Every structure is written in structure tokens, then in C-alpha cells.
Amino acid sequence: MTMQGRRRVVVWTVIGIVAALLLLSSTAAYYYTEVLWFEELGYLSVFWTILRARLLVGLASGLVFGLFLFVNLRFIRSSILHLSSQVEELQAGRWFLPRTINRVIAAVSVVFGLLAGISFATEWETVLRYINQAPFGVPDPLYGRDIAYFVFTLPFYRVIFNSVGFLILLTLMIMGLIYFFAGSVNFLGGRVNVHPRSRAHLAVLLASYLLLKAWGYWLDAFQLVYSARGVAFGGSYTDIHAQLPVFRIMSILAVLSALVALWYIRARDIRWLYAAVGIMMIGSLALGSIYPAVIQRLVVTPNEITRETPYIEHNITYTRAAFGLDRVEVREFPATDTLTWEDLEDNMHTIENVRLWDWRPLLASYRQLHTIRAYYEFTDADVDRYVIDGKYQQVMIAARELDYDRVPGAETWVNKRLQYTHGHGLVMSPAAQFTPQGLPVMHIEDIPTVSQVDIEVENPAIYFGELTREYVIANTLEPELHYPEGASNVYIHYDGTGGVPIEGFLRRSLFALRFSDYNMLLSGSITDESRVMYYRHIGDRVRRLAPFLMYDEDPYVVLSREEGRMFWIQDAYTHTTRYPYSEPYRHQLNYIRNSVKIVVDAYHGDVTFYVFDEEDPLIQTYQNIFPDLFRPQDEMPEEFQSHVRYPQDLFRIQMDMYRTYHMEDPVVFYNKEDLWEYPEEIFAGQSRRMEPYYIIMDLPGGDTKEQEFILMIPFTPSQRDVMISWVAGRSDGDHYGDLLVYKMPKGRTVLGPRQIEARIDQDAEISQLFTLWGQSGSHVIRGNLMVIPIQDSLLYIEPVYLESADTALPELRRVIAAYGNRVAMGRDLPETMEILFGVRPPVVEDGIEDPDNGVVIPGTDMELIERAWELFQGAQDALRGGQWSRYGDLMSQLEDILERLAGEMEDLSP
């Protein structure tokens, strides 16, 4: 090798060493800082359990793969050396020197073992669930085995089968290629010639795979409980009477084929090998495909309902159990038209808590009026309930978080990492109240936070939330922005326990390496008492601690009366796709439980997992695996228990299933005679599917007369718009998690939401007002139509918002209500109720004709004055925008109204 070549080798060697050191140091920094993070939260045992399981599973699979391949390659080594001693051309090649072959064999075995270990380490959860499984106590209908076998054991067996099968086939392919290129397998005289040692080797590998395949057919028999062949999910008539016997026969054929493959070693006729493979191919085609298809076509299809009835019953029973629908309580709802004003007075707490503020227009209002600074943001407006000034009240609440994309000077490291570290406070407003200007009435607002009720925000800082994806360093020498105050700002230094302490130069260096941020080393503002906060986003935080749970999309903020600061409640679910005979939900799961509620401290970052369904075998299994992670429900503070709610994601999944699986009669189910659908409503001018909504009410026919916070949704029959039922998920006290279904009386027509929307559209007075508003340049937003059960009747309520074309600030201007055949609209809900039930005459008594548009202008003095103000504002906007034609039209309409008002004043004068 030349001098230049040697230098090149040295350079590349140095580069490789440096790259390896950087990779190792980055990996070490990552794992060390992970350990610190888990330790700071008190869940270090979770980290070690997962890491140990990954390492052991990866090491075991890697050793098995590597050793198996090594043994086979060593056998080839002997064969090749034997051949090379007889073939002159091979004797001259360095490739076949024993030392070289040994090195190659070792290297190949190590590489494949390492790749296998990395790949199969991801199955750590399957292994731990198998070892720590808890029984379901329910047998499957086909084999009588506990469902735990299908959820925990069978997946573990499938992993072993797939892994070993892949290993044998890969080894067989590699061995065959090596034998072929080494000349041990050749084609001479039109025949395949195989050296005796190679023949024995390949035959043993093939026989091993066939024996494994026999076990695979035995496992496939258990997979029939997940068959999608029949009219319902799970083993069908054809599966049980045709496919199951086929699997048993194929298992026997696989064993016979393995014996035939082994006989090939002695017989030395390649046709025995062909026979072994041919038996499996013919059996798989004739028995595995043709025979079940014939049974399905000739036996099942002509008598499908008779043949499939027992299996439909299995599907209904196990699907309802898997989704918690077997615990649904069904009640009759009279849906009478006898509601009176006295009934409304008796249920005034329900009326006073009707959610008039939909979260979308309310969120727009919050953002326009209460963000205060551009770098603050409200991500969501959550629905909850609080006892405020002694009254149980439904409220809307939103946390004011820091939006790092809008931080001033975000490109500067100090601003992004040290100074802008947290959000500030929250806003809260009653769900049913609004000001005369159509804006939300505020219980809590402003910066610094001002409370108008008996709940105070003493510590408004939000370091952990829904927008906090950036890492920050708190409690440095650099003051942290707390809130803006006029032309200046108020600053603080963090004094909580969140994040990981820096403590010294070593940790500081490792954090700098982990985040690839060497400003951490250079900054003079960071001290040993500073704390690095990462995984601050709620979703990232809980998923890092418990990656095996599924999480609700909507964590919600809770203001603690006792602590005077904010917490987040995150719902979590256990789930599986392995529940026998249970219909899959969107190919994602076929069993789900809301077994865990998680509380996250918005200031300190503490995370606590509470078990709310101790009967769930899945959560019992995870408790066996991670004994330090979960706490029982009774350890959750009562204040937080009063804010748990039936999760919307779970409710949607259950209702998607229940609209079909409320049918328990197999014949009715087969014909889909009573399929339910979600009603359609009009929102913001578009027809859309109705969404579940929270409400405070007294449940009809219940065992308590107390107000309850429930989540509800109405249903209509398929292809029809009438109401057929409504479902409530309970959230309070001992009734948490209960599902109630109220069915409408048969033989009676109860108007559904879409029909009520049509009646609103057909109401002349309402449509005239909407048209008039639209002509003035405003956008009419019809909010969610809500079905409100009051005693034995149904009341429909829909808020109406008005939004200027120039400003995204919706105002709640009207409330529409419908009952029976009557529709009414008023300025607020009490007025609408009075109109609807005849306490006082309608607001719109008469009107005047607009000569330009031919529409009726409301005629009462208050309506005329309000309309005059709206026209004046619209005219001023048109004037500022240079819209002269529009300005003239609006002023002309304003003149007509003012003339009408002047005439009425003259009539009143003496």
C-alpha cells in the first residue's frame, strides 16, 4: 500500500472513531437524562422495568438468532472444507482458508443476531403481559378458554411462531444459496444433484419449518374467534364446521410432510422433497380454500340466518361485554307534550345550566378579548362544573398558555429558553349566561387574574400544558416573564419542584449534548439550582410514563379551590384487538375501558395515575408489571373526583357500537331492522352530525333527584329523522361510568333534531331576522341544537350568534327553543321560555316593510333601537372601508327606522 493510501486509511479510521464516540456519548446523554427525568417524577422503577424488558427480550432473541445461524454456518464450513479438499480450483482460493471462514461466520452471526435483537426488543410489552397476565374470568364460546388466553397468551405464541419461522426460512434460504454457489447443489444431466451432507442439512431445516407449521395451524384454529368470514365478526358456521377441521388436518399433514422431508436424507431421491412440499401446497389449496368456500356456498348461504344464529349471538354478547354495553340500563321515556311553566320552574336549575356557549364561538371570543398579548393562546374551551357561590353550575374554562411561535424575539436563546417559560392563568365563564352585548359573562378573567366568584387563582403560572412542547430552563439568574402590566412586565423566579435540577457541570454538559444546545454551557445565567423542564406537553408527559395506554384527545384544566392553582385531568384507556368474537372498532380495537384518570400539576409537573376500574383485567396486568405506577381511586383527592367526567372519546366509541349492538335479537340484528343513526343538525350554516354534549339535569325516572353532570346524545332510526332514543353517560359520585338509555314510546312520533331544524328554517319571523342580519354584513352562526329532557318531555334549544365580517368576535344575540309544534326566539333563554309557554306575548309584534328588500323589520321600540344601532355600526364600517354604495343602503334603512321611532314618539306626546 502506498503512503497516500495509508494516510487515507488513517484519516477514515479517525473519522470513524470520532463518529462512534459522538454516537455513544449522545446515546449515553439521552439515557442518563431520561433516568433523571423518571427519577424526578418518582417513577424510576417504570423506566428500569421497560428498559430491562427491552434488553432481555432483545438479548434472548439476538442470541437465539445468532447461535442458530452460527451453528448452521459452522456445519456449512465443514462441508465446504470437505469439498475444497477434493476440488483443485477451490484449494487455491483464500476464501476457503479455515481462519477466514471462521471470521466470516462469526461476523455474519453477530450482525444478524444484533439486527434480530433490535427488531424483537419492541415485543417487550407482549412478553411482560404474558408473564403477568390477569384472568378475565370469562370463557370464550368456542374453546372454553379464559379470554386472557386470547388477549395475553396467544399473541405471545404468535410472536414466537413468526420469529422462529422467519429464522428457519432465512437460514434455509442462506444455506441453499451458499450450497449452490459452492457447488454442493448443481444441475447435471437434467437432474438436481445434492451432496449428502448438504442434503441432510437442508432436509432437517425444511422438516423443522414444517413441524413449526404444524404448530402454526394449531394456533390458527384459535384465531378463528377473530374471523371476518361470516355475517358477524368471530367464528362462523363455515369456520367451525369447515375451517377448523381443515386446520387440524393440515397440522397432521405438516407433520407427515416433515417426516417425508427427513426420509429424503435416506432415500436420496429429490422427488421425496418435492412430495413434502407438494403435500402442503395441495392440502392448503384443496382444504384451506376450496372446501370452506364450497360449504359456505352450498350449506350456509341458502340457510344463512338459521346456520349463523348461534354465532351472531356470540358476537352480540361478546361485543357488548367488550365495550361495556352489557351494563347499559334501559328505561322508557314517555315524551309527553304536557310540559307547563310550573314544570319549568321545578327544573329551573336545568334551564339555568343549558350550555348556550358552543366551544367554537366561545373560543373565538376568548381569543379576541382575553389573550391580552399576542404570545398567549387558548387552545381549547373545556366544559366542567363547579359549585360557585353555593350553586352547582356548568362552566366553560380555558387555560391561557404561552404560544412559543409568537414569543417576541423567539430567535434569541434567552427569550425562548430562559425568559418566556410559562403561561398565565385562565378564564372561566358560565355556560348559560351572556351580557346584553352578546359576550360571555366572566367569572374569572384578565391578567393578573381577577375572580368575580368564590374561587381564587393564587398561582396562575402554567409550566406544563397543551402547548408546552419546548424545553425551558427555570429558576436562572434571568428573570422569567410572569405577565405584562401596562407598558412594562412583571417577572418572577420559579420556586417549584418541576424539572430536573442542573446541580453541576457534568449534568449541564449532558443536557447540552442531549438537546444539541451548547448555549447551556456558555450561558452565565444558569446556576446549579436551575431546573431543566422537558416533556412538558401533557400528552408527551403521560405517554412517556405509560406508553401502553391510549389517551383521550381532550385533557381538561381544573382550578383547585384548595391549592389556588391549575391541574390537568387526562383520561386514559386500556384496550386490545384480541377480545374473542367482539366487533372491531375502525380496525383499531375491540375492547376498551376507561380504567385510568391522570392528574398533572400545571406548576410542579407531578403526574399521578389513578385506577378507576379495578375489575379491568388489562389494568390488573399492568399493575402487576408496574406496581409503583398506579394508585387506587380512593387516593384521588375529593376535589379532583368532583371534576372527573364521562370521557367524550369513550362515549363516542361506545355509541358508535351501541347504535347497532342495542339489537340483542339475532334475527333483528341479521336484518339490521332497528339500526340507529346520529341526528343531523345545522351548525354555522352547514348540516353536520350531532356531537355528544354535557348538561346538568335531573335524570327522569332515576333513583336520585339531585342535579347530575351527564354526557348525552340523541338517536334517530336509520333513514328517518324522528327521535327514537337518547343516551346519557353519568359523571357524578357513585354513578360515575353508568350508561342510561331512554327509549321513545313505540307507535308515537317524536320529532328529531333535523325536523326541529327544518321548523326553525320555516319560521317566518326567524328567517326574516336572519335575512336582515345577513344583509347588514353580519354572519349568522346557528349553534348546536341541544335536546334537553325536562321531566317526561323534550325541549330543544339552539343559540344564535352574530359575527361581523370584519372581526372574528361572535356575539350571542338570540336563543331559539322548540317544544311540540311550537318554535320561539328571544333575546335570552328566560325570554324564549316565556314566549314559548305563553307567559307574555311574543317580542315581534308587528313590523314595517323595507321598500328596497321587501323584508319585515321588527316593530317593537327595543327591536327598532337595537336594529338602528346595528345599521349605524355597519354604516360606519362601510364608510371607513370606502364602500359608498353599501353605506348609502344602510343609511337609507336607518332613516326608515328613525322615522318610525319618531312617529311613535309623536303618538305618545300629549
Side-chain angles (χ1 to χ4, degrees):
M1 181 181 295
T2 65
M3 182 64 68
Q4 184 177 3
R6 292 176 180 174
R7 290 176 178 173
R8 189 174 300 168
V9 170
V10 171
V11 169
W12 281 109
T13 302
V14 171
I15 292 175
I17 294 173
V18 171
L21 289 175
L22 286 176
L23 178 62
L24 289 174
S25 60
S26 297
T27 303
Y30 171 80
Y31 279 103
Y32 179 70
T33 53
E34 287 291 286
V35 168
L36 293 177
W37 186 81
F38 276 87
E39 185 178 31
E40 192 64 28
L41 286 175
Y43 296 116
L44 188 57
S45 62
V46 175
F47 175 83
W48 289 123
T49 298
I50 295 176
L51 182 61
R52 183 168 54 247
R54 286 180 181 272
L55 290 175
L56 291 176
V57 172
L59 181 63
S61 57
L63 284 174
V64 170
F65 262 68
L67 286 174
F68 187 83
L69 195 58
F70 179 79
V71 170
N72 282 273
L73 289 174
R74 288 285 294 183
F75 187 86
I76 281 185
R77 172 187 178 278
S78 302
S79 300
I80 294 174
L81 288 175
H82 176 73
L83 288 172
S84 65
S85 65
Q86 302 178 25
V87 181
E88 183 177 352
E89 291 80 1
L90 296 180
Q91 293 176 2
R94 295 181 59 189
W95 175 261
F96 292 97
L97 293 176
R99 184 177 301 175
T100 304
I101 291 177
N102 290 339
R103 291 173 180 173
V104 172
I105 288 174
V108 170
S109 301
V110 169
V111 169
F112 273 88
L114 183 61
L115 292 175
I118 294 173
S119 174
F120 290 106
T122 58
E123 297 293 343
W124 66 270
E125 186 180 345
T126 302
V127 175
L128 289 184
R129 287 174 20 143
Y130 168 73
I131 296 172
N132 297 276
Q133 61 182 279
F136 278 71
V138 178
D140 81 280
L142 186 56
Y143 300 100
R145 290 178 178 261
D146 190 279
I147 288 176
Y149 175 83
F150 298 89
V151 175
F152 303 121
T153 303
L154 192 57
F156 176 70
Y157 288 167
R158 296 300 303 186
V159 168
I160 294 176
F161 171 77
N162 293 332
S163 304
V164 176
F166 174 77
L167 173 61
I168 295 175
L169 285 178
L170 177 67
T171 305
L172 184 60
M173 182 182 67
I174 294 175
M175 300 304 109
L177 289 174
I178 292 176
Y179 279 133
F180 177 76
F181 287 110
S184 185
V185 177
N186 56 66
F187 300 92
L188 296 175
R191 297 181 60 185
V192 178
N193 299 290
V194 185
H195 189 275
R197 289 175 61 86
S198 304
R199 180 172 62 246
H201 189 189
L202 295 176
V204 168
L205 286 175
L206 179 60
S208 299
Y209 180 76
L210 291 173
L211 290 174
L212 181 71
K213 191 66 178 173
W215 184 47
Y217 283 119
W218 183 78
L219 294 178
D220 288 340
F222 291 99
Q223 292 288 123
L224 290 177
V225 297
Y226 310 117
S227 172
R229 187 200 303 269
V231 295
F233 187 81
S236 63
Y237 181 92
T238 301
D239 292 316
I240 306 308
H241 294 85
Q243 194 68 60
L244 180 57
V246 164
F247 283 146
R248 290 170 176 167
I249 294 172
M250 290 301 298
S251 182
I252 296 173
L253 288 179
V255 174
L256 293 176
S257 297
L259 295 176
V260 171
L262 292 175
W263 179 252
Y264 165 63
I265 300 174
R266 182 181 181 88
R268 300 184 181 184
D269 190 341
I270 194 67
R271 286 177 294 182
W272 286 99
L273 205 60
Y274 294 157
V277 177
I279 290 173
M280 295 303 298
M281 293 181 64
I282 294 173
S284 178
L285 178 63
L287 297 177
S289 300
I290 297 176
Y291 177 64
V294 170
I295 296 297
Q296 178 70 30
R297 180 67 184 87
L298 299 182
V299 178
V300 176
T301 301
N303 307 282
E304 192 168 52
I305 183 60
T306 302
R307 300 291 188 186
E308 297 288 12
T309 292
Y311 310 106
I312 295 175
E313 290 176 342
H314 295 333
N315 172 260
I316 293 173
T317 299
Y318 283 81
T319 299
R320 287 171 61 89
F323 288 91
L325 304 178
D326 56 338
R327 296 177 285 184
V328 170
E329 179 183 349
V330 179
R331 298 176 180 177
E332 298 298 323
F333 188 77
T336 62
D337 292 331
T338 59
L339 195 62
T340 65
W341 183 255
E342 288 73 21
D343 297 327
L344 293 176
E345 291 286 356
D346 292 339
N347 292 271
M348 190 52 64
H349 51 270
T350 298
I351 301 297
E352 291 175 346
N353 279 290
V354 172
R355 182 174 58 83
L356 299 180
W357 282 105
D358 179 82
W359 69 270
R360 282 154 289 208
L362 180 66
L363 190 59
S365 178
Y366 283 170
R367 286 170 174 169
Q368 285 287 330
L369 301 175
H370 299 285
T371 51
I372 311 298
R373 290 289 189 270
Y375 46 79
Y376 287 127
E377 177 65 295
F378 297 105
T379 59
D380 192 14
D382 295 311
V383 185
D384 203 351
R385 72 283 196 199
Y386 288 76
V387 176
I388 296 177
D389 297 328
K391 296 185 67 175
Y392 193 55
Q393 187 175 107
Q394 185 171 208
V395 302
M396 308 296 289
I397 185 170
R400 185 187 292 106
E401 296 194 63
L402 192 66
D403 186 347
Y404 284 88
D405 293 333
R406 301 178 185 174
V407 167
E411 67 280 357
T412 65
W413 186 80
V414 171
N415 278 10
K416 189 174 184 179
R417 303 300 183 194
L418 308 184
Q419 192 169 87
Y420 289 84
T421 57
H422 60 277
H424 188 95
L426 54 76
V427 291
M428 179 191 291
S429 58
Q433 299 177 27
F434 57 98
T435 69
Q437 294 75 34
L439 301 177
V441 172
M442 302 306 298
H443 282 341
I444 301 175
E445 59 182 328
D446 292 341
I447 296 179
T449 307
V450 176
S451 176
Q452 309 295 338
V453 293
D454 59 347
I455 307 177
E456 297 293 337
V457 183
E458 298 175 4
N459 184 353
I462 303 174
Y463 283 85
F464 303 88
E466 295 185 87
L467 283 180
T468 48
R469 292 194 180 275
E470 298 284 346
Y471 83 88
V472 297
I473 307 172
N475 192 29
T476 65
L477 299 180
E478 188 73 31
E480 302 168 42
L481 173 71
H482 194 40
Y483 61 87
E485 188 175 50
S488 61
N489 295 322
V490 174
Y491 296 90
I492 63 168
H493 287 278
Y494 180 73
D495 61 355
T497 60
V500 178
I502 294 288
E503 288 191 353
F505 181 77
L506 177 60
R507 281 195 184 184
R508 191 166 172 176
S509 302
L510 291 172
F511 278 121
L513 188 59
R514 176 195 173 124
F515 296 113
S516 299
D517 188 349
Y518 299 101
N519 287 304
M520 295 178 69
L521 291 174
L522 303 175
S523 174
S525 299
I526 300 175
T527 69
D528 289 349
E529 287 73 34
S530 299
R531 309 182 76 89
V532 183
M533 297 182 179
Y534 47 108
Y535 296 134
R536 297 197 299 143
H537 185 271
I538 296 169
D540 297 340
R541 205 164 183 81
V542 297
R543 285 178 177 86
R544 198 66 194 159
L545 291 169
F548 43 83
L549 297 176
M550 185 175 75
Y551 294 94
D552 196 272
E553 293 182 355
D554 185 26
Y556 55 100
V557 67
V558 172
L559 175 59
S560 169
R561 188 187 300 267
E562 296 179 4
E563 300 285 343
R565 53 192 172 86
M566 288 157 285
F567 295 80
W568 299 90
I569 293 182
Q570 169 75 67
D571 284 286
Y573 311 105
T574 55
H575 68 289
T576 183
T577 59
R578 310 300 299 174
Y579 201 93
Y581 274 94
S582 175
E583 183 75 25
Y585 175 77
R586 298 182 180 178
H587 307 288
Q588 297 173 357
L589 53 88
N590 72 348
Y591 171 95
I592 187 171
R593 291 290 185 273
N594 176 215
S595 296
V596 180
K597 303 280 187 180
I598 307 167
V599 177
V600 181
D601 192 319
Y603 185 71
H604 296 292
D606 297 330
V607 183
T608 310
F609 293 76
Y610 296 99
V611 174
F612 265 63
D613 187 352
E614 295 181 351
E615 297 180 359
D616 174 26
L618 278 172
I619 200 60
Q620 292 173 6
T621 298
Y622 287 124
Q623 285 178 295
N624 294 336
I625 299 171
F626 305 103
D628 299 328
L629 181 60
F630 300 100
R631 297 185 185 181
Q633 175 184 347
D634 55 17
E635 289 189 16
M636 175 183 275
E638 291 186 8
E639 182 176 28
F640 293 142
Q641 292 205 39
S642 68
H643 289 285
V644 299
R645 64 187 192 183
Y646 206 107
Q648 286 184 296
D649 283 358
L650 175 64
F651 192 72
R652 289 189 185 98
I653 292 172
Q654 289 179 313
M655 293 304 100
D656 281 349
M657 302 304 295
Y658 192 73
R659 66 190 188 89
T660 301
Y661 283 90
H662 71 91
M663 297 179 283
E664 298 185 65
D665 184 284
V667 177
V668 175
F669 183 93
Y670 174 81
N671 294 312
K672 297 295 186 288
E673 297 176 15
D674 193 19
L675 187 66
W676 292 355
E677 296 288 353
Y678 293 102
E680 294 287 315
E681 65 171 348
I682 303 297
F683 180 84
Q686 301 292 324
S687 179
R688 43 158 280 177
R689 194 180 83 171
M690 208 166 177
E691 294 289 336
Y693 52 91
Y694 291 101
I695 184 175
I696 290 178
M697 62 173 291
D698 289 340
L699 284 168
D703 47 8
T704 175
K705 287 298 181 182
E706 296 181 357
Q707 306 166 46
E708 288 191 54
F709 187 68
I710 68 166
L711 180 62
M712 69 168 289
I713 186 69
F715 280 105
T716 62
S718 179
Q719 307 300 319
R720 298 178 62 197
D721 292 328
V722 297
M723 179 97 77
I724 194 169
S725 67
W726 59 276
V727 185
R730 305 172 79 172
S731 299
D732 290 344
D734 295 336
H735 295 293
Y736 172 79
D738 292 348
L739 281 174
L740 299 176
V741 176
Y742 291 86
K743 289 188 174 181
M744 301 299 114
K746 294 182 178 180
R748 177 174 179 164
T749 299
V750 179
L751 295 181
R754 191 67 186 89
Q755 293 170 317
I756 296 297
E757 295 280 27
R759 293 206 168 206
I760 294 173
D761 290 335
Q762 296 164 6
D763 188 278
E765 296 175 351
I766 294 175
S767 61
Q768 287 167 1
L769 183 59
F770 286 176
T771 301
L772 190 60
W773 278 343
Q775 290 175 346
S776 66
S778 298
H779 178 48
V780 178
I781 301 174
R782 289 170 60 175
N784 291 123
L785 178 67
M786 288 168 288
V787 182
I788 311 296
I790 303 288
Q791 294 192 166
D792 292 334
S793 301
L794 293 175
L795 185 66
Y796 299 84
I797 296 176
E798 180 175 279
V800 179
Y801 312 93
L802 197 62
E803 184 178 64
S804 170
D806 301 324
T807 306
L809 181 60
E811 299 173 356
L812 209 167
R813 307 302 297 182
R814 293 292 186 273
V815 178
I816 300 173
Y819 177 69
N821 295 319
R822 304 192 299 274
V823 176
M825 181 174 68
R827 295 183 184 88
D828 53 30
L829 190 54
E831 182 179 278
T832 303
M833 292 295 99
E834 291 179 353
I835 297 171
L836 192 62
F837 291 94
V839 176
R840 71 182 189 188
V843 171
V844 180
E845 296 176 347
D846 56 6
I848 60 174
E849 191 76 15
D850 184 337
D852 295 327
N853 302 305
V855 297
V856 174
I857 300 176
T860 64
D861 289 348
M862 288 303 299
E863 286 283 347
L864 291 172
I865 293 171
E866 183 177 300
R867 179 59 185 153
W869 175 245
E870 292 173 353
L871 289 172
F872 176 74
Q873 287 181 312
Q876 294 300 308
D877 291 340
L879 181 63
R880 286 191 292 269
Q883 299 172 311
W884 305 111
S885 176
R886 176 172 171 74
Y887 174 75
D889 292 340
L890 294 175
M891 290 302 293
S892 177
Q893 295 178 42
L894 177 59
E895 183 180 358
D896 292 336
I897 292 178
L898 293 177
E899 288 177 355
R900 173 66 184 272
L901 285 170
E904 292 186 3
M905 294 297 293
E906 290 179 0
D907 293 339
L908 293 174
S909 61

